[in-house]
Amino acid sequence: MLAPTVRFAPSPTGRIHIGNARTALLNALLARQGGGRFVLRFDDTDRERSREEYAVSIEADLAWLGIVPDLVVRQSDRVALYDAAVARLKAAGRLYPAYETADELDRRRKRLQTRGLPPVYDRAALDLSEADRARLEAEGRRPHWRFRLEPGTVSWSDLVRGDSAIDCASLSDPVLVREDGSYLYTLPSVVDDIDLRITDVVRGEDHVTNTAVQLQLFAALGAPAPRFGHHNLLVNASGEGFSKRSGAMSLTGLREAGAEALAVAALAVLTGSATAIHPIATLDALGPVELGRLSRAPARFDEAELWGLTAKTLHGLPFAAVRERLAARGVPMDATGEDFWRIVQGNLARFDEVDLWWSVVAGVITPVSEDAEFLAAAARLLPPEPWTAETWAQWTALAKTETGRKGRALFHPLRLALTGRDTGPELAALLPLIGRAKALARLAGQPG
Ligand code: GLU
């Protein structure tokens, strides 16, 4: 099979959310696994609602997930292509002007619905004569343009849903061009898919009905159609889909709250798939995308699961995977830095908690002194450096013999003094990194 060219096509009208991440990642993984290309296409034909800041944030969010597009295009730069397609459709008699106002259309829809009929546009505009149109235009009306659907059933073999068919009698002729000449999503999407030689359109199942219309458009424009796959949507605990408008579960928000990108990716891709959710250390560990094995039911995204998976992801990441992030927080990129990561990673629920442990190792903390007398005795027994992983056991064995303490009464005051905290990484591992000078200060109850 030819290497695939896929696209992720958000409108820059808000921040992308976990559900969009599912679409983006499925596409990116298909491209990567098939040695193909991933196009990021900004569907910004809605000039009112599209914003540059959202386009910028979408690229940043994708980069955070580990997706770097091979090509970025904006529909607002490509209007000449859409105009040419419109000319072609008009010449073929597939695009017709209609003059109904939104109110008129609404009233007609309601009338049909009260009679129990599907609210399909009645094509009244097809009966307008030249003279009718001239009169309407003289009244100041401007047309919008509808695509005349061919009757009959459109069918395709969906990469996710298998054999799929839509009877076009149940669809209104879609409006492709608004009164002000601007484009709705349907036509530009097809024109771009043709122009950019998209081989596979993988998107949410909210677009299934568009597929019938778009397949007719590919044919009307004389182009072969790509394959289509419509994946199940992620929904929240109450079964509702996510929306860019609400901002809930936005990738930016999750990143700022400390979610790990790889945890977000694992949940976005594996929820409602044939593979159990598991922590990953690279995107490739998600395994091959098997669109045909995605569940058909909505996939429930559980935020609590994200925080558990964030912690598990951190516990499994090798030093090499977090080097830059540690360096940015002042952790040295040497053996100490590597030891530090290995020792503390198992205690992290969020990455930024490394700050706390790095200050325990290399910064100044205020020790908690529960029992000064015992701590002074322990300080006197502290072995000379160099220290190893055995130092802690040797030291506490001595302290046990000398003071008669054992168990929690022995270890807990030492932990509080040395780290200032109740719980944390193994002290046997941490102690050599803290070093004798800091340990002595802290055992004496002094900041160190
Ligand atoms: N802009 C559309 C959306 O965000 C793209 C749909 C498609 O992939 O064709 O839903």
Side-chain angles (χ1 to χ4, degrees):
M1 212 186 348
L2 277 175
T5 301
V6 296
R7 85 296 195 281
F8 172 57
S11 54
T13 53
R15 298 196 188 276
I16 51 172
H17 50 67
I18 184 91
N20 301 126
R22 183 176 184 76
T23 312
L25 281 159
L26 287 174
N27 278 290
L29 292 170
L30 283 170
R32 196 199 291 239
Q33 290 166 5
R37 284 157 51 83
F38 173 94
V39 177
L40 170 61
R41 184 184 88 199
F42 286 116
D43 285 3
D44 59 351
T45 54
D46 184 339
R47 288 169 227 157
E48 289 275 293
R49 290 175 49 223
S50 297
R51 299 245 190 295
E52 180 56 25
E53 66 187 270
Y54 292 133
V56 170
S57 81
I58 289 170
E59 279 201 65
D61 289 341
L62 291 179
W64 178 63
L65 286 177
I67 301 176
V68 182
D70 297 297
L71 177 70
V72 182
V73 297
R74 275 158 212 268
Q75 293 194 322
S76 53
D77 292 337
R78 302 167 58 82
V79 176
L81 284 172
Y82 315 143
D83 292 347
V86 158
R88 185 163 173 173
L89 294 174
K90 281 185 186 167
R94 295 296 297 277
L95 207 58
Y96 62 92
Y99 294 84
E100 293 89 349
T101 63
D103 277 350
E104 282 164 358
L105 290 170
D106 207 39
R107 274 199 298 276
R108 272 191 223 173
R109 263 195 301 270
K110 289 205 174 108
R111 238 178 305 162
L112 288 168
Q113 273 164 332
T114 43
R115 289 165 54 202
L117 297 170
V120 175
Y121 177 62
D122 60 10
R123 295 183 155 170
L126 277 179
D127 299 331
L128 295 175
S129 65
E130 280 286 333
D132 293 332
R133 289 212 291 269
R135 180 177 45 76
L136 287 164
E137 301 220 2
E139 280 171 16
R141 294 221 197 179
R142 290 283 160 270
H144 49 272
W145 294 81
R146 287 187 187 261
F147 178 55
R148 187 172 54 74
L149 291 172
E150 303 272 25
T153 296
V154 171
S155 42
W156 72 98
S157 169
D158 196 281
L159 298 168
V160 179
R161 300 156 62 93
D163 287 342
S164 305
I166 290 180
D167 178 3
C168 290
S170 66
L171 304 178
S172 296
D173 287 342
V175 177
L176 300 188
V177 190
R178 295 189 187 90
E179 273 169 46
D180 64 2
S182 66
Y183 288 100
L184 283 114
Y185 144 80
T186 312
L187 175 73
S189 180
V190 169
V191 171
D192 287 335
D193 288 342
I194 297 171
D195 183 61
L196 299 168
R197 298 176 199 280
I198 300 301
T199 58
D200 298 83
V201 171
V202 175
R203 56 188 179 184
E205 67 186 9
D206 47 335
H207 286 288
V208 168
T209 14
N210 291 336
T211 303
V213 169
Q214 292 187 334
L215 282 168
Q216 286 214 13
L217 272 170
F218 281 102
L221 293 170
R227 287 180 289 268
F228 283 90
H230 294 91
H231 64 75
N232 53 352
L233 299 180
L234 289 189
V235 296
N236 66 17
S238 354
E240 292 150 7
F242 297 99
S243 98
K244 278 209 214 84
R245 272 191 221 202
S246 77
M249 292 298 120
S250 78
L251 297 187
T252 310
L254 293 174
R255 179 171 69 230
E256 285 169 0
E260 279 300 300
L262 287 164
V264 170
L267 278 178
V269 172
L270 300 178
T271 302
S273 81
T275 308
I277 292 165
H278 60 275
I280 50 168
T282 63
L283 285 183
D284 291 326
L286 288 170
V289 172
E290 296 176 295
L291 291 176
R293 295 187 69 199
L294 289 182
S295 151
R296 296 280 300 271
R300 210 165 281 261
F301 169 76
D302 176 3
E303 192 189 344
E305 210 171 345
L306 175 62
W307 299 110
L309 198 61
T310 285
K312 285 196 201 130
T313 301
L314 289 167
H315 302 172
L317 284 180
F319 178 65
V322 288
R323 282 180 70 95
E324 277 95 51
R325 294 165 74 193
L326 287 173
R329 305 188 98 95
V331 177
M333 290 300 97
D334 55 10
T336 303
E338 192 159 358
D339 282 348
F340 168 73
W341 174 247
R342 197 173 29 76
I343 293 162
V344 304
Q345 70 180 138
N347 281 271
L348 304 177
R350 309 268 197 284
F351 186 80
D352 62 7
E353 291 166 6
V354 297
D355 290 351
L356 182 155
W357 295 112
W358 185 243
S359 72
V360 167
V361 165
V364 174
I365 60 155
T366 308
V368 177
S369 186
E370 235 184 14
D371 182 340
E373 210 177 309
F374 165 64
L375 294 175
R380 281 194 298 275
L381 299 169
L382 204 56
E385 286 180 316
W387 282 357
T388 67
E390 277 71 54
T391 304
W392 168 256
Q394 290 157 0
W395 177 40
T396 51
L398 269 179
K400 184 177 173 184
T401 320
E402 293 284 321
T403 65
R405 292 191 181 223
K406 55 184 187 203
R408 189 178 156 83
L410 172 67
F411 298 121
H412 195 61
L414 295 179
R415 175 175 290 284
L416 282 177
L418 292 170
T419 69
R421 312 190 69 82
D422 235 6
T423 55
E426 284 230 30
L427 277 168
L430 214 49
L431 189 65
L433 292 187
I434 293 173
R436 199 164 193 276
K438 279 191 192 304
L440 281 176
R442 292 174 188 176
L443 290 167
Q446 287 151 17

